[in-house]
Amino acid sequence: MSIRSFLGLGLLGVDMADDAVHVVELIRRRGQLACRHCGSAALAAGVMLEGNVEDLQGLASAVRLACRNSGSGCTRVALAMPATSLITHVIRLQAGLPEEQLEILVELEAAQYMPFALEDASLDFVILGPAPPLAGQTAREIEVLLVAARRASVQRRLDAAAAAGLTPVVMDSEALALQAAVGQDGWQALPDGGLAYQLAWGLALHRYAR
């Protein structure tokens, strides 16, 4: 689903960490983003292990509790995958290709960098912009960022959210969500200096097409 399709609708950023679940919903006030709802719930030992979902129902229960503690009634959520679960690589491709051909070439390139079969992967990509010209090169190229993860790992997070009664609409990377939050003010005012909520804040920013 494209970001445009849920602009103006509520979106809850959900951080599934190893020790707790944190959620944030944002609102725009006088042109500034502010926290509308936030909440958390501790995770029992072993529910998450190094970013992997080990106990799906235990995670779903914690997500439900975090949402209830936040006071938010929003069911549309943005989730994230940890960097340790992602494979990222920047590739160069010919500029001006039709979208269908670009997707095929991205998949062919991605297969070279993944330690597992392409059919076992969840794959996404984003065009970064024109690629710097190489010596003697005449054809224009673009740089494309590949992001891939094991489909089963992605699905476990989606299933946990669904079991908690939520509808995932975004799957981001934790690194990019944290980077987005750093560029914003407001999260620092949340409990404990906001650090525990920084990732959830960055994910909630997707509501505003960051």
Side-chain angles (χ1 to χ4, degrees), residues 16-114:
M16 300 173 174
D18 281 359
D19 59 344
V21 174
H22 294 88
V23 303
V24 169
E25 184 181 1
L26 300 177
I27 190 171
R28 192 184 295 278
R29 292 173 177 160
R30 301 184 182 91
Q32 300 294 320
L33 293 178
C35 179
R36 184 178 187 184
H37 297 286
C38 71
S40 65
L43 281 176
V47 173
M48 295 281 288
L49 183 61
E50 297 181 352
N52 296 312
V53 181
E54 301 294 332
D55 179 356
L56 193 151
Q57 291 304 320
L59 178 58
S61 295
V63 171
R64 277 194 298 270
L65 180 58
C67 292
R68 187 160 61 245
N69 290 342
S70 76
S72 173
C74 183
T75 60
R76 301 163 67 82
V77 298
L79 309 175
M81 295 294 295
T84 53
S85 299
L86 297 176
I87 297 168
T88 60
H89 198 81
V90 177
I91 62 172
R92 299 170 65 105
L93 293 174
Q94 178 184 334
L97 294 174
E99 185 175 348
E100 296 80 4
Q101 188 174 353
L102 183 62
E103 290 179 356
I104 293 172
L105 290 177
V106 165
E107 288 190 359
L108 291 175
E109 288 285 339
Q112 302 180 43
Y113 303 107
M114 290 188 296

